[in-house]
Amino acid sequence: MQIKSAIFKMSAKNLEAAPDWQRPEFAFIGRSNVGKSSMINMLSNRAGLAKVSATPGKTQLLNFFIMNDNWSLVDLPGYGFAKVAKTEKINFNESVGDYLEHRENLRQVFVLIDSRLPPQRIDLDFVNWLGDCGVPFSLVFTKADKQSAAKTAATTEAFLAAMPSHLSGIPSVIRSSSKTGGGRLEILREIDARLKD
Ligand code: GDP
């Protein structure tokens, strides 16, 4: 799939305020600083579409973009901000939980995980929660350019091994780099396939 147009449509503070449309939605989420804004810019080929490095904790809105006039990319607030969370407890706002659980036109979630880190409890908890909600998701291991392919493969494997076994039927694992464009085609291909379902 080529991205011919990418337009920021609106921000919503919760599910009720989300756009009233039937467009299939693909949501992106991850811990603050995981590289989500860079990824959205890379996918859309638009340098400033999502703001890179907005202050952690400040971006608590659900942001809706219209892609190719027929599907929507949803930029969700990050979870587990160190400044907000008092404990290692997963901390993502209620609106995000509501959106993920109840948005009928949500087709798939891309969960971004920093490929340089060993499995983080907070990512595992989130993925576990998402799996229990029954929302299809893919894991995207970001910033793969920062280390060797072998190291990325090792952290990816470690994460999968740490995941609860009932989630082993996850749709896919993608290694990405917003610097090299790695993973872009895989993500777009996956979206394309789901649009044709
Ligand atoms: P967000 O908070 O998840 O939206 O993360 P950003 O997209 O703002 O990225 C956080 C920092 O990581 C920025 O300094 C980016 O330039 C850097 N970054 C993001 N993705 C990549 C990547 O794939 N490779 C490298 N080398 N740096 C990245």
Side-chain angles (χ1 to χ4, degrees):
M1 173 171 44
Q2 305 245 342
I3 299 296
K4 298 191 185 102
S5 62
I7 296 162
F8 170 70
K9 185 62 184 174
M10 64 175 285
S11 297
K13 68 177 189 322
N14 54 30
L15 180 60
E16 288 69 43
D20 182 17
W21 61 33
Q22 301 304 315
R23 279 192 178 86
E25 290 176 351
F26 295 85
F28 287 73
I29 191 165
R31 291 199 306 155
S32 173
N33 214 37
V34 71
K36 182 167 53 82
S37 306
S38 307
M39 155 105 4
I40 291 169
N41 293 339
M42 184 263 273
L43 286 176
S44 61
N45 272 333
R46 309 241 177 340
L49 193 65
K51 274 194 213 130
V52 175
S53 293
T55 313
K58 290 272 162 74
T59 46
Q60 293 292 308
L61 298 170
L62 291 67
N63 295 302
F64 294 82
F65 300 86
I66 299 178
M67 313 295 280
N68 287 354
D69 225 12
N70 72 335
W71 59 277
S72 176
L73 186 157
V74 186
D75 180 4
L76 295 176
Y79 53 79
F81 303 116
K83 281 184 197 160
V84 176
K86 290 221 163 52
T87 62
E88 261 282 301
K89 202 164 137 272
I90 189 165
N91 180 324
F92 66 107
N93 71 32
E94 215 178 298
S95 321
V96 175
D98 246 17
Y99 170 84
L100 291 171
E101 262 189 290
H102 303 299
R103 185 71 164 170
E104 286 183 2
N105 45 327
L106 172 63
R107 292 288 179 85
Q108 183 157 341
V109 179
F110 291 91
V111 182
L112 274 52
I113 294 164
D114 192 323
S115 69
R116 296 168 301 170
L117 304 177
Q120 303 290 296
R121 183 79 262 154
I122 200 157
D123 290 325
L124 289 164
D125 284 351
F126 178 72
V127 165
N128 198 6
W129 178 86
L130 200 54
D132 289 345
C133 285
V135 183
F137 65 92
S138 301
L139 302 179
V140 181
F141 290 87
T142 63
K143 307 190 185 183
D145 61 277
K146 290 207 171 202
Q147 62 190 358
S148 69
K151 179 88 197 302
T152 301
T155 50
T156 306
E157 288 308 315
F159 190 89
L160 295 176
M163 272 175 69
S165 53
H166 72 282
L167 292 179
S168 54
I170 52 165
S172 70
V173 169
I174 296 167
R175 280 113 180 167
S176 75
S177 164
S178 300
K179 208 167 171 191
T180 67
R184 182 175 186 273
L185 289 181
E186 286 93 328
I187 293 171
L188 293 179
R189 213 175 279 144
E190 217 164 87
I191 292 172
D192 204 23
R194 218 162 250 289
L195 285 173
K196 289 176 180 146
D197 273 354

